[in-house]
C-alpha cells in the first residue's frame, strides 16, 4: 500500500481531508514522521511491516547491504527477504544463495550473515527487496498483511490528532481500540513472510 494513500486515509478519518481531496506537501511531510515512529513502535511488538525497495548495486566482485554503518555497506538497508529474479545490466538473471550446492554457472550469488547481505558477481545488479522501513517517503510502497491495514490507518489517525490540533472523536477511539485489540488477539504476526510482489518469483523467508 502506498505511503501517501495510508496518510490520506488517516487524515480523512480525522476530518483534515474531505473525500476526494489530496494531502498537501507539508501535511505529508509531517505525517510521514508520525508514520515512521508508529512503524518503529509496532516493530518492538513484533508487528513487522516491510517496505518494497528497489536496490541497485554496482558489483565489482562483491557488494554489501546492511543497516549498520559499521559494516561499511555499499547500500544501507535492513533486508528481510528478496525477489530472486533480478537484472544484471539489461539481462534477467536468478539470484542464487551461496551454499555448498550453489550452481557454478550462477551469474550472481549472495550470502546472508545476520543483517549483512553480500552479493557476488560483476556488473550493475538491480533487484526488489522487502526491507524494514527505517526511512520512508510519500511515494514508497509498504507491504501490509490484510489484517494490518485498518489498525495501521486508525492508529496513525489517532497519532495525527495531536499534530493537527484535532480532538479525536469517540467513534475514532472506539474503532482504534477494537481494531488494535483484534490485531493483537489474532496473533497475526507471521512466522514467515511470503512475498507476493507482482514481479519475479514468490520467496519465503524464515
Amino acid at each position: 500500500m502506498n505511503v501517501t494513500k495510508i496518510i490520506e486515509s488517516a487524515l480523512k478519518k480525522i476530518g483534515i481531508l474531505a473525500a476526494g481531496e489530496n494531502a498537501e506537501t507539508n501535511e505529508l511531510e509531517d505525517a510521514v514522521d508520525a508514520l515512521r515512529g508508529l512503524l518503529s513502535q509496532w516493530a518492538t511488538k513484533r508487528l513487522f511491516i516491510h517496505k518494497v525497495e528497489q536496490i541497485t548495486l554496482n558489483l565489482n566482485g562483491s557488494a554489501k547491504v546492511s543497516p549498520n554503518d559499521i559494516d561499511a555497506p555499499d547500500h544501507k538497508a535492513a533486508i528481510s527477504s528478496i525477489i530472486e529474479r533480478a537484472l544484471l545490466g539489461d539481462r534477467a538473471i536468478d539470484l542464487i544463495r551461496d551454499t555448498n550446492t550453489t550452481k557454478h554457472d550462477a551469474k550472481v550469488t549472495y550470502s546472508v550473515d545476520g543483517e549483512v547481505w553480500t552479493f557476488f558477481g560483476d556488473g550493475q545488479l538491480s533487484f526488489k527487496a522487502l526491507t524494514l522501513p527505517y526511512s520512508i517517503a510519500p511515494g514508497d510502497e509498504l507491504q501490509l498483511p490484510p489484517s494490518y491495514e485498518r489498525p495501521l490507518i486508525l492508529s496513525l489517525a489517532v497519532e495525527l490528532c495531536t499534530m493537527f490540533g484535532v480532538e479525536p472523536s469517540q467513534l475514532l477511539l472506539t474503532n482504534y481500540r477494537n481494531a488494535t485489540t483484534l490485531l493483537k488477539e489474532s496473533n497475526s504476526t507471521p512466522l514467515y513472510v511470503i512475498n507476493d510482489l507482482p514481479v519475479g518469483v514468490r520467496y519465503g523467508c524464515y
Side-chain angles (χ1 to χ4, degrees):
M1 190 174 185
N2 187 271
V3 166
T4 296
K5 183 176 179 181
I6 293 170
I7 290 171
E8 289 181 340
S9 296
L11 290 174
K12 288 173 183 175
K13 295 287 185 186
I14 61 176
I16 299 299
L17 294 181
E21 286 186 335
N22 297 319
E24 297 180 358
T25 301
N26 62 325
E27 292 172 331
L28 286 175
E29 290 175 352
D30 291 339
V32 161
D33 287 337
L35 178 58
R36 185 186 302 111
L38 184 59
L39 294 177
S40 296
Q41 183 182 26
W42 277 32
T44 64
K45 301 175 182 178
R46 301 191 63 80
L47 297 172
F48 296 108
I49 291 176
H50 294 90
K51 180 172 73 172
V52 182
E53 185 171 350
Q54 184 77 34
I55 295 177
T56 299
L57 300 172
N58 291 313
L59 298 180
N60 185 17
S62 67
K64 290 191 294 187
V65 180
S66 169
N68 297 314
D69 291 329
I70 195 171
D71 297 318
D74 300 279
H75 182 90
K76 193 172 180 179
I79 295 178
S80 294
S81 63
I82 65 171
I83 295 291
E84 292 189 328
R85 192 65 174 167
L87 287 177
L88 186 63
D90 57 0
R91 179 182 175 184
I93 63 165
D94 290 322
L95 298 176
I96 306 297
R97 185 157 184 169
D98 191 7
T99 65
N100 291 333
T101 59
T102 297
K103 296 188 300 184
H104 294 292
D105 61 345
K107 295 296 182 183
V108 176
T109 61
Y110 69 93
S111 64
V112 183
D113 182 10
E115 294 182 308
V116 182
W117 291 59
T118 306
F119 296 83
F120 304 91
D122 291 287
Q124 186 180 74
L125 175 68
S126 182
F127 61 95
K128 285 188 181 291
L130 291 184
T131 63
L132 292 176
Y134 292 151
S135 64
I136 54 174
D140 287 341
E141 292 289 329
L142 300 181
Q143 188 184 62
L144 298 180
S147 58
Y148 282 45
E149 182 176 327
R150 178 173 166 81
L152 179 62
I153 290 172
L154 289 170
S155 297
L156 181 60
V158 172
E159 291 280 333
L160 294 179
C161 282
T162 300
M163 182 176 293
F164 288 92
V166 175
E167 186 71 24
S169 67
Q170 282 304 119
L171 178 59
L172 173 63
L173 293 175
T174 298
N175 289 339
Y176 156 72
R177 285 191 290 265
N178 289 342
T180 53
T181 298
L182 285 173
L183 177 60
K184 294 172 185 175
E185 290 178 350
S186 69
N187 193 26
S188 57
T189 302
L191 295 177
Y192 62 91
V193 174
I194 295 297
N195 193 337
D196 283 321
L197 299 180
V199 293
V201 297
R202 292 170 63 89
Y203 180 78
C205 180
Y206 284 91

